[in-house]
Amino acid sequence: MWITPEEVLLANALWVSERANPFFILQRRKGHGKGGGITGLLVGTMDVVLDSSARVAPYRILHQTGDSQIFWSIACGSSRKEITEHWEWLETNLLQTLSIFDNDEDITTFVKGKISGIIAEENKSKAAQEDEDSGKFREAEQKMRKLFGMPGEEKLVNYYSCSYWKGRVPRQGWVYLSVNHLCFYSFLLGKEVTLVVQWTEVTRLEKNATLVFPESVRVSTRHTEHYFSMFLNINDTFKLMEQLATIAMRQLLDNEGFAADRSLPKACKTLKNVSALKRDLDARAKNERYRALFRLTPDERLDGHTDCTLWTPFAKMHIVGQLFVSNNYICFCSREEDLCQLIIPLREVSIVEKADSSSVLPCPVSISTKNKMTFLFANLKDRDFLVQRISDFLQRTPDKLWSDSHPLALSSYSGSPSPSTTPLSSSLPTPTGAAGEPSQGRHYSPSLPTATQGLLRIYQKDDPEDHGPKATKEKMKEESWNIHFFEFGRGVCMYRTSKTRELVLNGIPESLRGELWLLFSGAQNEMATHPGYYAELVEQAMGRCTLATEEIERDLHRSMPEHHAFQNEMGIAALRRVLTAYACRNPGIGYCQAMNIVTSVLLLYCTEEEAFWLLVALCERMLPDYYNTRVVGALVDQGVFEELTRECLPLLYEHMQELGVISTISLSWFLTLFLSVMPFDSAVLLVDCFFYEGIKVIFQVALAVLHANMDTLLGCTDEGEAMTILGRYLDNVVNKQTVSPPIPHLHALLTSGDEPPPEIDVFQLIKSSYDKFGSLRADVIEQMRFQQRLKVIQSLEDTAKRSVVRAIMTDSAFSIEELEELYVFFKAKHIMSCYWGASSTAAERHDPSLPYLEQYRIDMGQFCQLFGALGTWLCGTHTATLAARHFRLLDSNKDGLINFKEFVTGLSGMYHGDMTEKLKLLYKLHLPPALCPEEAESALEATQFFTDDDTQQESPFLSDLDFLVQEVTSGEEVKEAGEALGSGDAEEKKEVKDYKYYLRMWAKEKEPKIETIKDLPRMNQEQFIELCKTLYNMFSEDPLEQELYHAIATVASLLLRIGEVGKKFTNNGAKKPTDATNTQAPTPAAELPQPEKEESNGESSSGQSLVCKALAEAQQETPPQQTSDEEVKDDTSVSSYSMVSTGSLQYEDIADDTVLIGCAGDQQRRGSTLDGDWSITFEQVLASMLTELPLVDYFEKKGDIQARMAACKMQRGVERQVSSSSDHELAQLST
């Protein structure tokens, strides 16, 4: 490419001049290409280690004038072809012009101006995205694509200098981290190492420090491990690797590919070696941490953060921390953990103003809310800018959003929905009747039982007031919270301190439980910004019948059946509405078991709408991926729990692993938050702590349970005994402070023994968990979740692979190992198409709700690539056409996609079928639906044209072939008639049929009908010509191609005559009277096959001429010999095949060295048209093929799928070493 002219002082240092003229010099880098010796090795090594641009552009052109020692670099190239084009352009366009100039300075000025003008023209067409990245980074991205053969869609995120440990030897080079791959390249003293790892193949990614690998990163796949060390900033590199691996796992889990953030603000200045994608990923990481810290919605985007102090009126002191500003919130978090946290929604803000500065309060900002609370931030570095940003966000905040000062009343209170509550989601239209009126049966109709408040409050309002000690304790809790609200504020803007946590751990009073759950989970913010959304969802889901609704109906009466709130229609209906509304909101999750248990508890303390938004917070933020089809999140946390057990309770961990208990117990504990294994009054206290602290509380309590039972568990000898011990312990965790009447715990009733074990106070259990395991931190848990997520998702992928292979192994002749490898190729092609583009969207190709066998699907383009790599019938340029027909044949439902079973079915026929099966497949590939619609339409038009308008002369006598066909036909008819007669007699004899007979008949109807060769339709002349064309291309690279050509020519001629004779029996004489004007003249005897001179209707010659023409076209389609980039071969060889004209060629005349070529003179002959009545059957094709031994041997030959798959792996090798004596052209490095 042309480059901005740069001054070069030493032109010959490390470069070799190859061409020169008075004004320009073309040079090649030493060590590139053949030879070079020790100097070349050293130069190549230096280029890689120092990241020199000469490695990606080893050719350059310099400009020099006269005796000047100063050179100007004006062009560089990655290959000789590219640099030669630039050189020829200079010689053609500039040499003659430069010879006119008298002054050397004028020549240099002219050349520099010309090159700069060319570059300016090229830059006009560059995309704006490329302009954001620095020139150095774009050069590195180009280098990555050249070295590893990546397409333009593959985006480089960042690259780092490091060492890759190959064996015990470190190879210094560069690691390139792209969106979908980890790549490494090194060239040291002639040894080249290239590594390419897909992120979707990574099973483990960890940073460790050992004596052997100090400060290293280990990247593990299913088959190998890779170690990288000697990073300048290993933490930054590892964090980026984690992000990219997480994106890949998300792609495997639900097919969410990476999409760059187009709304990301541009950097103030172009950062060296930092791409726009890297900035995007950094911003995403900050957003995720920000949202997790303050429990905000997924669409919240952090705008910025700054250090400051917050004046706390309750403590009368300034607290040091950080202020965060996003598009909808202002948040504060103290530097000291749990000291103070604050969330201020912008919808609540009334005034933002700069207060007066003083020595006590430097640069303060005052923020007032609508409920009369004022927050004072000080020590702000850029106060003016901060106030301006907050003001900008305030202007964008809608005024009509509900605030916390207004009651979040359900529209059910008034009996009908309010017309002013318009849902924000445009994807949820209001259902209307025929006349535009609201549809009948709305969710909040007064005739329907509706939970307008928590179910517990509804069913306890008639109970007599309790004045016992438990009720007194409950009132004291309520009073403590009221004092807290007075001191720290109430609602979403409340100061959250260590005092708040103490109150939560002591138990939230039942009257405040729903309100505080909404507050701590962040669900209150989401409900406030989406008024009417839940009502709209319920109406949309009403009457809809899906798989999710069926599962919900099945589980409704299993949800806390022991509680009287769910023993009547009101509780059941409320639960149904909440679950179906969420299934409508999130079809990806729909409904999962355990959601009913959690939701029923939420409904006890909250209204329906509040319970819905709490369920949203649980499923989408607090327990990510817990309730999808494969409960991935719960499996991940199960792995985290096992790891925590290994660290905290090592002795117990080893024993429990031997028994296999941890994986059994933890799943039910996490999925239901202990609600299904612990008495309700005790488990709900854990839910209180969970909404405030997050998942760490569940881990702490689970560890505390194991620790409390350690001695007993160590004495267990089997899994059942350990399960019984833990079950009885949890059954007896009691809440002695509850004011609710006792609810019988079904699990306790089933597991109670003769001697009840001692009761465990739930408050003591929670306190013990904080005392012993309270050091758990959320960021450590997230890091452990990342490690386990890689393991779990890859394990699920392996399980899916085994399930698919087991499902189809009985229907395929491939071995289990071959099927597993084919599945890997198939899945890799699907995943690659997701990020490198395909004709269909990712959601269409991958549906996690489908069975494993149908989850991954590929379209025609991907199938054609796999067919060309793994298929046995390769036909040169005709391969793509044959692959497209094969795809249409396999695509039974016509959705443009095929699954793995269909793919294997197509390959199995080519590799393991006998001759009949292979020919049957080949025959069907040239019939609809394999033929494209255009081909089918043209064939139909031709048939109609010749059937309606063309008359043919009946032969006055029958040949021997006629009698043969007639005998076969009549024999088949007699046989079929005999079979029908025999079956009729049998039915008459069996007068009374018992039930077994009907069962057998029903079973026979259910059996899939096996297709026989007689079920195949007949093939017309155009389809037959296409078949001959395919066969000709298939034999072009076979060692016995001449024998095969001769055989197929003989078979084609025989089948043409069979088709001619067959017309007399298929038409049954029902033809138009012969018109003398249309009668064809007899074909000259010289053009007829010698054994059949009595055939004088000329149509056999017609068919042969068409076949010869088609074969000639097929010969012309054979791909030309490819020329290399460095040298062009002089192709002057003459084919040894003899060329003959097809105009008079007969099938007996085809010799071993004959190639059929077309003849333009046949255009006016009768032979250039198609015969619409001509047709043949598959039996005739098979019988004709069996007469030729070369064809029989060819189709009976078994294919070697292992060799094909090995070639595919070599095509994109993971690691390879290349000696420096070979030419290191970058084009050869592409795979």
Side-chain angles (χ1 to χ4, degrees):
M1 61 180 180
W2 302 107
I3 60 176
T4 305
E6 296 180 357
E7 189 175 311
V8 178
L9 296 178
L10 300 174
N12 295 319
L14 308 181
W15 292 84
V16 178
S17 298
E18 294 195 341
R19 295 188 186 181
N21 59 39
F23 303 103
F24 302 103
I25 303 173
L26 190 153
Q27 293 184 327
R28 172 178 56 84
R29 187 72 165 179
K30 287 183 179 179
H32 181 81
K34 296 181 180 180
I38 187 65
T39 306
L41 294 179
L42 293 174
V43 173
T45 302
M46 184 179 65
D47 288 342
V48 171
V49 173
L50 299 180
D51 192 29
S52 170
S53 60
R55 190 63 199 167
V56 70
Y59 297 95
R60 72 178 183 182
I61 297 177
L62 302 179
H63 165 64
Q64 181 194 26
T65 56
D67 298 329
S68 174
Q69 296 299 316
I70 298 177
F71 298 81
W72 294 88
S73 175
I74 60 172
C76 64
S78 59
S79 65
R80 189 182 300 276
K81 178 181 178 181
E82 180 184 1
I83 204 68
T84 302
E85 290 177 355
H86 289 344
W87 179 264
E88 291 174 351
W89 187 91
L90 291 172
E91 288 186 329
T92 304
N93 297 281
L94 291 189
L95 276 187
Q96 190 172 2
T97 304
L98 295 179
S99 61
I100 303 174
F101 287 91
D102 296 330
N103 190 345
D104 290 346
E105 293 182 2
D106 294 342
I107 294 176
T108 301
T109 303
F110 178 80
V111 171
K112 290 167 64 177
K114 189 70 175 177
I115 300 301
S116 299
I118 296 174
I119 294 173
E121 288 295 325
E122 291 178 349
N123 288 339
K124 286 183 180 179
S125 60
K126 287 187 177 180
Q129 178 67 26
E130 294 182 358
D131 294 338
E132 289 187 23
D133 299 334
S134 64
K136 182 71 174 176
F137 187 85
R138 288 202 299 270
E139 183 181 293
E141 188 171 46
Q142 181 187 6
K143 187 187 301 184
M144 178 203 72
R145 291 173 184 163
K146 292 286 185 180
L147 288 172
F148 307 105
M150 300 291 177
E153 293 85 358
E154 185 69 359
K155 301 297 183 183
L156 178 65
V157 180
N158 213 348
Y159 63 106
Y160 303 92
S161 173
C162 69
S163 290
Y164 169 57
W165 291 79
K166 184 169 173 57
R168 297 183 179 180
V169 180
R171 303 296 178 90
Q172 185 65 28
W174 293 83
V175 62
Y176 297 86
L177 305 181
S178 69
V179 173
N180 304 296
H181 295 87
L182 180 151
C183 307
F184 177 83
Y185 181 78
S186 172
F187 180 82
L188 290 176
L189 300 178
K191 295 295 183 180
E192 184 180 46
V193 177
T194 305
L195 176 72
V196 178
V197 178
Q198 279 188 334
W199 289 117
T200 51
E201 295 297 322
V202 174
T203 58
R204 191 174 182 84
L205 183 65
E206 59 182 347
K207 180 178 61 176
N208 50 22
T210 62
L211 293 175
V212 181
F213 303 111
E215 280 283 297
S216 63
V217 173
R218 181 173 71 171
V219 181
S220 303
T221 63
R222 287 179 175 82
H223 308 294
T224 185
E225 293 183 344
H226 308 284
Y227 290 89
F228 302 89
S229 64
M230 298 179 68
F231 291 94
L232 294 177
N233 189 345
I234 190 170
N235 292 326
D236 181 52
T237 307
F238 186 72
K239 285 180 182 177
L240 181 57
M241 287 181 172
E242 280 186 328
Q243 280 186 281
L244 295 172
T246 300
I247 292 171
M249 293 306 105
R250 178 58 55 184
Q251 188 177 28
L252 287 177
L253 183 60
D254 51 19
N255 224 59
E256 286 186 7
F258 176 78
D261 190 354
R262 300 299 180 188
S263 60
L264 190 71
K266 292 187 177 182
C268 300
K269 59 179 181 179
T270 303
L271 303 176
K272 184 180 180 182
N273 299 343
V274 177
S275 66
L277 278 179
K278 178 66 167 60
R279 291 176 49 239
D280 183 2
L281 290 174
D282 289 344
R284 290 179 188 221
K286 291 179 180 178
N287 286 334
E288 289 172 5
R289 288 194 295 269
Y290 169 64
R291 291 193 294 259
L293 181 61
F294 298 104
R295 305 274 174 81
L296 301 178
T297 55
D299 58 345
E300 200 62 26
R301 298 162 57 89
L302 179 64
D303 186 69
H305 60 90
T306 182
D307 294 332
C308 70
T309 59
L310 170 66
W311 170 253
T312 52
F314 54 88
K316 302 295 188 291
M317 61 182 291
H318 293 278
I319 295 180
V320 179
Q322 281 192 320
L323 180 70
F324 301 84
V325 178
S326 60
N327 47 335
N328 293 302
Y329 297 91
I330 302 170
C331 302
F332 174 84
C333 184
S334 61
R335 184 175 299 172
E336 183 180 345
E337 191 176 4
D338 288 336
L339 189 58
C340 183
Q341 193 182 80
L342 185 64
I343 301 174
I344 308 173
L346 290 181
R347 67 179 184 274
E348 293 294 321
V349 174
S350 58
I351 300 174
V352 178
E353 58 184 351
K354 292 180 284 188
D356 296 333
S357 295
S358 66
S359 58
V360 180
L361 284 176
C363 299
V365 170
S366 173
I367 299 177
S368 301
T369 63
K370 296 175 182 176
N371 56 358
K372 310 304 180 184
M373 291 184 70
T374 302
F375 305 95
L376 196 61
F377 300 93
N379 291 286
L380 294 164
K381 294 180 181 178
D382 196 344
R383 182 175 62 164
D384 295 339
F385 178 74
L386 175 65
V387 171
Q388 182 61 44
R389 290 300 295 166
I390 295 176
S391 301
D392 292 342
F393 285 128
L394 278 173
Q395 290 178 356
R396 304 173 197 169
T397 303
D399 294 331
K400 295 184 180 180
L401 288 179
W402 292 355
S403 65
D404 292 340
S405 58
H406 294 83
L408 290 169
L410 287 174
S411 45
S412 58
Y413 291 163
S414 60
S416 61
S418 171
S420 62
T421 55
T422 305
L424 299 183
S425 174
S426 60
S427 62
L428 297 171
T430 303
T432 56
E437 295 296 327
S439 60
Q440 297 299 318
R442 298 176 72 88
H443 163 52
Y444 292 116
S445 170
S447 62
L448 293 177
T450 304
T452 58
Q453 53 186 323
L455 294 177
L456 205 60
R457 185 174 298 178
I458 293 175
Y459 287 97
Q460 287 182 352
K461 63 183 179 181
D462 297 330
D463 294 345
E465 188 174 355
D466 187 3
H467 297 285
K470 291 184 178 180
T472 305
K473 183 75 172 177
E474 186 77 2
K475 289 186 180 298
M476 289 175 61
K477 287 184 182 180
E478 292 180 5
E479 188 61 28
S480 298
W481 276 100
N482 288 331
I483 295 172
H484 184 276
F485 292 150
F486 178 78
E487 190 174 354
F488 296 91
R490 187 167 187 170
V492 70
C493 297
M494 179 178 70
Y495 291 98
R496 307 177 194 203
T497 67
S498 56
K499 181 70 180 295
T500 312
R501 190 175 77 167
E502 290 177 12
L503 288 175
V504 171
L505 295 184
N506 289 328
I508 299 176
E510 290 185 354
S511 60
L512 298 174
R513 188 161 272 149
E515 175 188 343
L516 293 176
W517 281 0
L518 284 170
L519 176 65
F520 296 144
S521 66
Q524 183 170 344
N525 289 318
E526 212 163 358
M527 184 170 67
T529 54
H530 294 79
Y533 178 74
Y534 170 69
E536 200 69 38
L537 274 176
V538 172
E539 291 177 6
Q540 185 180 8
M542 239 181 165
R544 179 181 297 182
C545 183
T546 63
L547 179 62
T549 58
E550 292 176 3
E551 293 176 344
I552 290 170
E553 289 296 328
R554 187 174 63 243
D555 286 350
L556 280 177
H557 295 279
R558 305 176 188 172
S559 308
M560 296 187 67
E562 67 276 11
H563 200 289
H564 57 274
F566 296 98
Q567 294 170 357
N568 58 78
E569 183 57 32
M570 178 178 288
I572 295 296
L575 182 60
R576 177 188 294 114
R577 284 191 290 268
V578 173
L579 291 174
T580 53
Y582 186 78
C584 184
R585 166 189 167 89
N586 193 341
I589 292 178
Y591 172 76
C592 176
Q593 284 188 345
M595 286 174 66
N596 59 321
I597 297 175
V598 175
T599 307
S600 60
V601 174
L602 301 179
L603 281 168
L604 290 176
Y605 300 99
C606 307
T607 65
E608 284 185 31
E609 185 174 12
E610 292 170 347
F612 169 79
W613 287 113
L614 278 171
L615 185 63
V616 169
L618 275 173
C619 296
E620 299 176 13
R621 296 197 301 277
M622 302 188 70
L623 297 175
D625 300 323
Y626 259 60
Y627 300 108
N628 57 22
T629 53
R630 295 189 280 184
V631 292
V632 173
L635 292 174
V636 168
D637 281 350
Q638 175 183 298
V640 173
F641 180 58
E642 291 186 14
E643 190 70 18
L644 290 172
T645 307
R646 187 178 64 83
E647 294 179 4
C648 302
L649 307 170
L651 290 177
L652 183 60
Y653 170 77
E654 294 179 3
H655 186 65
M656 297 285 276
Q657 284 296 97
E658 293 175 2
L659 299 179
V661 176
I662 295 181
S663 60
T664 307
I665 59 175
S666 56
L667 199 60
S668 61
W669 293 2
F670 294 141
L671 273 174
T672 63
L673 303 175
F674 285 96
L675 288 167
S676 63
V677 294
M678 195 180 285
F680 168 75
D681 294 325
S682 303
V684 77
L685 292 176
L686 299 184
V687 178
D688 293 343
C689 301
F690 167 75
F691 277 122
Y692 186 80
E693 294 272 27
I695 193 64
K696 62 170 285 189
V697 174
I698 305 300
F699 285 124
Q700 288 177 188
V701 172
L703 289 171
V705 170
L706 292 183
H707 184 268
N709 294 274
M710 182 187 297
D711 296 336
T712 316
L713 289 172
L714 287 174
C716 293
T717 56
D718 58 47
E719 178 186 359
E721 185 181 358
M723 294 285 293
T724 303
I725 291 171
L726 291 172
R728 287 189 177 181
Y729 179 87
L730 291 172
D731 288 339
N732 289 275
V733 176
V734 297
N735 179 7
K736 297 179 180 179
Q737 299 179 9
T738 180
V739 294
S740 300
I743 301 171
H745 185 44
L746 293 183
H747 191 265
L749 296 176
L750 294 174
T751 59
S752 60
D754 297 333
E755 297 182 3
E759 293 181 343
I760 300 97
D761 188 357
V762 65
F763 292 101
Q764 288 298 322
L765 178 62
I766 294 174
K767 183 177 183 301
S768 173
S769 72
Y770 272 90
D771 291 342
K772 293 184 174 66
F773 309 104
S775 59
L776 284 179
R777 290 170 43 207
D779 56 342
V780 175
I781 291 175
E782 284 303 317
Q783 179 64 35
M784 297 174 74
R785 275 179 164 178
F786 166 74
Q787 298 290 349
Q788 294 298 325
R789 191 177 293 113
L790 293 178
K791 186 187 301 183
V792 167
I793 293 180
Q794 296 293 10
S795 176
L796 289 174
E797 291 296 311
D798 291 339
T799 302
K801 178 174 69 175
R802 289 191 294 269
S803 300
V804 169
V805 169
R806 280 198 303 268
I808 66 174
M809 61 183 297
T810 56
D811 300 330
S812 171
F814 291 115
S815 66
I816 294 178
E817 293 76 13
E818 290 172 344
L819 286 173
E820 288 183 348
E821 286 196 51
L822 285 173
Y823 181 83
V824 171
F825 281 113
F826 186 88
K827 174 184 158 188
K829 185 61 64 176
H830 162 88
I831 291 175
M832 195 176 296
S833 66
C834 291
Y835 51 72
W836 283 350
S839 58
S840 56
T841 63
E844 291 174 345
R845 291 193 307 275
H846 182 262
D847 185 358
S849 64
L850 293 174
Y852 287 137
L853 188 60
E854 302 176 15
Q855 282 191 10
Y856 292 115
R857 295 183 290 175
I858 59 175
D859 58 22
M860 182 181 290
Q862 300 148 30
F863 175 81
C864 291
Q865 295 174 7
L866 286 175
F867 184 89
L870 300 174
T872 57
W873 296 343
L874 302 183
C875 311
T877 56
H878 193 64
T879 302
T881 303
L882 190 65
R885 292 176 181 173
H886 203 168
F887 179 86
R888 287 191 289 268
L889 182 65
L890 296 174
D891 184 17
S892 55
N893 57 357
K894 309 302 178 201
D895 62 348
L897 300 167
I898 63 171
N899 59 34
F900 181 66
K901 183 177 181 180
E902 294 166 335
F903 171 72
V904 170
T905 301
L907 279 186
S908 186
M910 288 191 292
Y911 275 99
H912 297 290
D914 56 17
M915 180 178 179
T916 303
E917 292 176 354
K918 290 180 180 178
L919 286 178
K920 182 179 173 181
L921 174 60
L922 196 62
Y923 184 86
K924 291 166 71 174
L925 289 178
H926 296 82
L927 296 173
L931 282 176
C932 64
E934 291 79 10
E935 292 174 331
E937 185 179 351
S938 64
L940 179 62
E941 290 176 353
T943 303
Q944 292 175 345
F945 174 80
F946 288 109
T947 302
D948 295 342
D949 300 332
D950 193 18
T951 58
Q952 300 180 6
Q953 186 173 358
E954 295 277 352
S955 177
F957 53 88
L958 297 178
S959 65
D960 295 337
L961 193 61
D962 299 338
F963 287 114
L964 177 62
V965 174
Q966 189 176 30
E967 289 174 4
V968 170
T969 306
S970 60
E972 291 175 354
E973 292 174 353
V974 171
K975 183 177 179 181
E976 291 174 359
E979 291 176 353
L981 183 60
S983 62
D985 294 341
E987 290 179 2
E988 288 179 4
K989 292 178 182 179
K990 190 174 181 65
E991 297 178 356
V992 181
K993 304 180 180 65
D994 57 2
Y995 70 94
K996 294 182 180 180
Y997 169 78
Y998 292 106
L999 287 176
R1000 287 195 298 269
M1001 294 296 294
W1002 178 79
K1004 184 177 293 186
E1005 290 178 0
K1006 293 296 182 182
E1007 290 179 358
K1009 184 180 179 182
I1010 301 176
E1011 185 183 48
T1012 64
I1013 59 177
K1014 293 183 179 180
D1015 297 327
L1016 294 174
R1018 302 177 72 89
M1019 178 178 282
N1020 64 33
Q1021 199 169 68
E1022 182 179 10
Q1023 296 161 355
F1024 173 68
I1025 292 171
E1026 289 294 326
L1027 174 62
C1028 294
K1029 188 176 179 181
T1030 299
L1031 289 170
Y1032 179 88
N1033 283 284
M1034 284 171 58
F1035 305 148
S1036 61
E1037 298 180 2
D1038 195 273
L1040 302 175
E1041 58 180 333
Q1042 285 306 303
E1043 290 82 350
L1044 291 168
Y1045 290 156
H1046 179 78
I1048 196 59
T1050 305
V1051 169
S1053 181
L1054 177 61
L1055 287 171
L1056 282 168
R1057 288 185 290 117
I1058 290 175
E1060 293 297 328
V1061 175
K1063 287 194 302 183
K1064 301 177 177 60
F1065 301 100
T1066 56
N1067 293 335
N1068 295 324
K1071 282 188 169 285
K1072 295 180 181 180
T1074 304
D1075 192 344
T1077 59
N1078 292 333
T1079 303
Q1080 286 287 333
T1083 306
E1087 296 186 5
L1088 286 173
Q1090 297 300 322
E1092 302 290 340
K1093 288 185 179 180
E1094 58 271 26
E1095 285 282 353
S1096 58
N1097 58 4
E1099 294 174 359
S1100 175
S1101 175
S1102 164
Q1104 290 181 31
S1105 176
L1106 285 168
V1107 173
C1108 293
K1109 184 176 180 181
L1111 297 185
E1113 293 174 356
Q1115 182 188 10
Q1116 294 170 2
E1117 287 182 3
T1118 54
Q1121 186 175 9
Q1122 296 181 354
T1123 58
S1124 65
D1125 187 29
E1126 292 292 333
E1127 56 185 29
V1128 180
K1129 296 182 179 180
D1130 185 13
D1131 188 10
T1132 57
S1133 60
V1134 179
S1135 173
S1136 60
Y1137 300 149
S1138 61
M1139 304 292 184
V1140 295
S1141 170
T1142 60
S1144 59
L1145 177 67
Q1146 308 308 323
Y1147 76 100
E1148 295 87 353
D1149 301 329
I1150 301 178
D1152 291 347
D1153 59 348
T1154 302
V1155 174
L1156 303 172
I1157 61 172
C1159 178
D1162 285 347
Q1163 295 296 326
Q1164 303 300 325
R1165 294 180 50 212
R1166 172 68 179 83
S1168 62
T1169 59
L1170 288 171
D1171 189 346
D1173 295 328
W1174 186 98
S1175 65
I1176 55 173
T1177 64
F1178 175 73
E1179 296 99 314
Q1180 294 165 344
V1181 174
L1182 177 61
S1184 303
M1185 290 281 194
L1186 289 172
T1187 61
E1188 294 294 331
L1189 186 60
L1191 291 175
V1192 174
D1193 293 340
Y1194 180 86
F1195 284 104
E1196 288 288 351
K1197 182 172 58 178
K1198 299 293 183 182
D1200 186 5
I1201 188 70
Q1202 292 284 0
R1204 287 282 183 185
M1205 291 190 292
C1208 279
K1209 291 178 183 177
M1210 291 298 295
Q1211 183 180 357
R1212 189 160 194 82
V1214 175
E1215 257 184 76
R1216 58 188 184 274
Q1217 288 189 348
V1218 184
S1219 172
S1220 64
S1221 60
S1222 63
D1223 189 355
H1224 295 296
E1225 278 292 330
L1226 295 175
Q1228 294 178 359
L1229 290 173
S1230 63
T1231 54

